[in-house]
Amino acid sequence: MTEHHHLPSQLEVSPEAPDRNLALELVRVTEAGAMASGRWVGKGDKNGADGAAVKAMRTLVSTVSMNGIVVIGEGEKDEAPMLYNGERVGDGTGAECDVAVDPVDGTTLTAKGMGNAVSVLAVAERGAMFDPSAVFYMDKLVTGPEAAEFVDITAPPAVNIRRIAKAKGCGVEDVTVVVLDRPRHENLVQEIREAGARIKFIADGDVAGAVMTVREETGVDLLLGVGGTPEGIIAACAIKCLGGTIQGKLWPKDDDERQRALDAGHDLDKVLLTEDLVQGENVFFVATGITDGDLLRGVHYRAERAYTQSLVMRSKSGTIRQIESVHRLSKLRAYSAIDFDRAR
């Protein structure tokens, strides 16, 4: 028997790092989540939509070649039977990974049939992601590459808006700021308007809102305001791939949460930068549209077919893919308890 030896080539990947082929495996997971929740669009049941996506994504993620641990998922094990924080996912082979999953970023958007709901998954090397467990909310600033070095979350909104306008060579009246539509942002909204900028309100889904700011074609320049800490970390994974910056400050909602954060060793005055939220240069981010939006087209159903649109990104290579997929509905029963063959 002849033995063949060869030198390692650049195509071979160390088992310690997530493989570059992982990106195309991961998109199958978000496609499944989007198609499962897509059947719940406009039906007024955000928990039903979320539950369908969770089941579908868990089924698919078990086939991915990775040894993952859910760092950001559906919550603690007692509350979430699947995709809970600490759950091992993947087929157990390959790299040790941190996994962040948001089966439906925008459950209310999905339930109401509104735009910009997406299914999201991010993967990084083990230990790379910030632990958000102590504080659920974070004050955030996100902008794209052109103005990334000029913004500062500790500065007033008017200052950041002027800096972005200067960096982009436009007037402040041309700057669009995306803000979650919440009562807590009343003063922020007033400051943005007084600065002369435009506001794009989003009802839910601030992962998509953050990614919009770093995608030039969306027409959004800046995200400001308080949203979820887990969503901030997932957004940071996308920003690692796209460029730009996210800056955040933990925002305890009450004295008890403030004390828990201090007990956990968090500095509540510290500005958390992109690298604080997710470390390393081998980060994957994938998202599939559930409803039509500024970022992605949602799931469309036609005779015996489902059509999806996804973003697939990897920070190490800087590659950004937009993937259009056509799925045969008769093949999709394995993804979900939902009957895909006919909308009910």
Side-chain angles (χ1 to χ4, degrees):
M1 180 183 285
T2 305
E3 291 187 3
H4 296 278
H5 299 278
H6 65 279
L7 294 172
S9 74
Q10 289 182 320
L11 297 177
E12 293 176 333
V13 178
S14 162
E16 286 78 33
D19 190 332
R20 66 185 188 175
N21 295 326
L22 202 57
L24 297 179
E25 287 193 66
L26 295 173
V27 74
R28 293 171 54 240
V29 181
T30 55
E31 285 174 345
M35 286 186 288
S37 57
R39 285 303 195 199
W40 294 79
V41 169
K43 295 191 174 180
D45 184 354
K46 65 180 188 178
N47 292 329
D50 192 56
V54 169
K55 281 184 183 178
M57 291 180 80
R58 194 192 193 210
T59 300
L60 265 290
V61 80
S62 67
T63 69
V64 175
S65 305
M66 66 178 180
N67 195 340
I69 293 179
V70 176
V71 175
I72 296 165
E74 290 292 283
E76 299 303 320
K77 185 175 182 179
D78 293 342
E79 298 291 328
M82 294 185 236
L83 298 180
Y84 57 83
N85 298 349
E87 182 175 6
R88 286 204 164 267
V89 292
D91 68 0
T93 67
E96 288 272 347
C97 303
D98 279 358
V99 177
V101 57
D102 196 348
V104 182
D105 177 50
T107 53
T108 300
L109 301 176
T110 303
K112 292 183 175 181
M114 297 167 69
N116 289 320
V118 294
S119 184
V120 179
L121 184 65
V123 171
E125 293 173 33
R126 187 78 192 105
M129 293 185 191
F130 181 80
D131 179 2
S133 58
V135 183
F136 186 73
Y137 289 104
M138 175 189 287
D139 192 15
K140 303 174 199 172
L141 177 154
V142 185
T143 194
E146 304 98 324
E149 63 185 286
F150 305 112
V151 292
D152 179 358
I153 194 173
T154 65
V159 171
N160 285 313
I161 289 165
R162 284 198 302 271
R163 289 175 178 175
I164 286 172
K166 185 176 180 181
K168 293 194 169 189
C170 64
V172 292
E173 67 276 6
D174 300 318
V175 174
T176 299
V177 185
V178 65
V179 178
L180 269 172
D181 192 0
R182 299 288 186 274
R184 63 177 176 262
H185 290 146
E186 186 178 342
N187 291 337
L188 172 63
V189 166
Q190 186 176 342
E191 289 184 68
I192 294 169
R193 286 176 172 158
E194 287 174 355
R198 299 185 294 180
I199 296 177
K200 179 182 179 66
F201 284 109
I202 54 174
D204 200 0
D206 69 342
V207 172
V211 177
M212 279 183 226
T213 67
V214 292
R215 294 279 285 173
E216 194 173 325
E217 66 273 18
T218 64
V220 174
D221 304 290
L222 177 65
L223 176 142
L224 291 174
V226 174
T229 306
E231 288 83 353
I233 296 159
I234 295 172
C237 293
I239 289 159
K240 275 273 190 169
C241 301
L242 289 164
T245 187
I246 179 168
Q247 299 177 14
K249 291 183 74 174
L250 295 175
W251 194 83
K253 65 179 184 292
D254 53 35
D255 289 340
D256 286 346
E257 193 168 89
R258 173 177 289 274
Q259 193 56 53
R260 282 201 301 275
L262 293 172
D263 291 344
H266 291 294
D267 178 356
L268 297 179
D269 294 320
K270 181 181 180 182
V271 175
L272 298 165
L273 304 176
T274 312
E275 192 64 28
D276 297 311
L277 297 174
V278 59
Q279 299 171 21
E281 288 306 321
N282 203 17
V283 179
F284 296 84
F285 175 91
V286 295
T288 301
I290 299 170
T291 59
D292 289 343
D294 301 275
L295 192 62
L296 288 164
R297 194 182 65 241
V299 183
H300 288 202
Y301 297 96
R302 296 291 181 267
E304 301 306 318
R305 296 284 189 274
Y307 298 80
T308 59
Q309 188 179 58
S310 304
L311 271 178
V312 181
M313 303 183 276
R314 186 190 188 195
S315 65
K316 191 172 183 179
S317 61
T319 305
I320 301 163
R321 292 183 173 92
Q322 189 160 299
I323 295 180
E324 312 266 343
S325 300
V326 183
H327 310 265
R328 287 177 58 190
L329 296 181
S330 60
K331 299 286 187 181
L332 300 180
R333 291 195 190 101
Y335 289 178
S336 174
I338 307 295
D339 180 2
F340 282 104
D341 291 333
R342 286 284 181 268
R344 291 289 184 249

